[in-house]
């Protein structure tokens, strides 16, 4: 899991704890967090609570460089065979990693995308739900329905995507464009991220 972090002190602990719960005997979870020059207590919280956890790697930038730079650095320090981009204010739907991993493996190691349940800041009410539709280049160019926080990508496919240009506003579109262009996407018809 690659987690770019910038001023998310209210969410980051729950985010990390939800990812750690995905660890199983069949596979090991690795979380690569890159603090992007946070001005709140985000980095301190992560370091104090998770700094000695063997599943977590922490890096930081002294000043804000942007989400894409943090994602690029997180990939650089990661070692996993499969990559999940994940927002520091996102929470894993339990069982997500297994579902996405199985979908990828059972479909020639394509990137697997599931759905998103958007909730309010304290996760007490639902704002909307979105399941991805079978994409094509036209649909992802006009209205991309593939959320980066809802995917699992085999590392081998990441080599054509990373580094993500730091000046892009929407890294989701960049990532999905290359995956869809090369027919490397499978859709999981389940919600995987809050």
């Amino acid at each position: 899991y690659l987690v770019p972090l910038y001023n998310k002190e209210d969410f980051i602990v729950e985010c990390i704890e939800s990812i750690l719960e995905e660890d199983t005997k069949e596979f090991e979870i690795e979380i690569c967090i890159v603090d992007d020059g946070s001005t709140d207590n985000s980095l301190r919280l992560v370091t104090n609570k998770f700094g000695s956890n063997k599943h977590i790697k922490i890096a930081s930038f002294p000043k804000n460089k942007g989400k894409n730079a943090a994602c690029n650095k997180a990939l650089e320090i990661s070692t996993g065979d499969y990559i999940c981009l994940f927002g520091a204010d996102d929470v894993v739907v339990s069982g997500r990693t297994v579902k996405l991993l199985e979908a990828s493996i059972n479909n020639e190691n394509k990137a697997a995308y599931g759905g998103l349940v958007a909730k309010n800041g304290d996760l007490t009410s639902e704002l909307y739900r979105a399941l991805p539709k079978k994409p094509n280049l036209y649909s992802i160019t006009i209205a991309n329905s593939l959320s980066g926080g809802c995917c699992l990508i085999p590392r081998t496919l990441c080599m054509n995507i990373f580094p993500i240009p730091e000046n892009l506003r929407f890294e989701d579109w960049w990532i999905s464009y290359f995956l869809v262009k090369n027919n490397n996407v499978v859709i999981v018809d389940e919600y995987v991220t809050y």
Side-chain angles (χ1 to χ4, degrees):
Y1 278 81
L2 311 182
V3 182
L5 172 61
Y6 181 70
N7 290 347
K8 297 292 184 194
E9 67 182 6
D10 293 339
F11 305 101
I12 189 60
V13 170
E14 186 173 9
C15 170
I16 294 169
E17 287 175 345
S18 77
I19 297 169
L20 287 172
E21 289 177 15
E22 294 289 285
D23 195 54
T24 70
K25 292 178 183 174
E26 288 79 38
F27 59 86
E28 186 175 353
I29 294 291
E30 175 186 65
I31 306 172
C32 300
I33 302 163
V34 177
D35 182 76
D36 190 21
S38 290
T39 57
D40 67 359
N41 289 313
S42 295
L43 180 58
R44 186 177 4 259
L45 279 170
V46 169
T47 303
N48 290 344
K49 187 158 178 77
F50 303 104
S52 62
N53 188 308
K54 69 176 184 162
H55 296 285
I56 298 177
K57 296 179 179 179
I58 303 168
S60 64
F61 297 144
K63 63 180 188 174
N64 185 267
K65 294 176 76 174
K67 182 179 181 181
N68 296 344
C71 285
N72 292 336
K73 180 65 175 176
L75 180 71
E76 183 183 310
I77 65 174
S78 72
T79 61
D81 294 327
Y82 293 87
I83 303 298
C84 294
L85 295 171
F86 210 65
D89 58 353
D90 290 345
V91 175
V92 166
V93 172
S94 183
R96 161 208 162 97
T97 309
V98 169
K99 288 174 189 167
L100 294 176
L101 183 60
E102 287 176 351
S104 177
I105 291 170
N106 293 334
N107 288 278
E108 302 171 345
N109 278 321
K110 293 183 177 186
Y113 279 86
L116 169 71
V117 177
K119 293 194 169 195
N120 65 345
D122 61 6
L123 302 177
T124 58
S125 65
E126 189 174 305
L127 303 175
Y128 65 89
R129 291 175 173 247
L131 285 172
K133 298 172 178 66
K134 177 127 177 82
N136 60 51
L137 284 179
Y138 177 78
S139 69
I140 64 164
T141 302
I142 299 302
N144 184 16
S145 69
L146 300 177
S147 171
C150 295
C151 72
L152 175 140
I153 307 169
R155 186 178 201 89
T156 54
L157 298 179
C158 289
M159 298 306 113
N160 294 326
I161 298 167
F162 286 83
I164 302 168
E166 292 182 15
N167 62 340
L168 284 181
R169 290 190 63 205
F170 303 109
E171 79 287 346
D172 292 356
W173 285 14
W174 173 268
I175 294 166
S176 61
Y177 172 80
F178 287 102
L179 293 171
V180 170
K181 176 182 166 200
N182 295 311
N183 192 31
N184 281 319
V185 172
V186 62
I187 300 300
V188 175
D189 197 27
E190 294 187 46
Y191 299 102
V192 297
T193 303
Y194 293 118

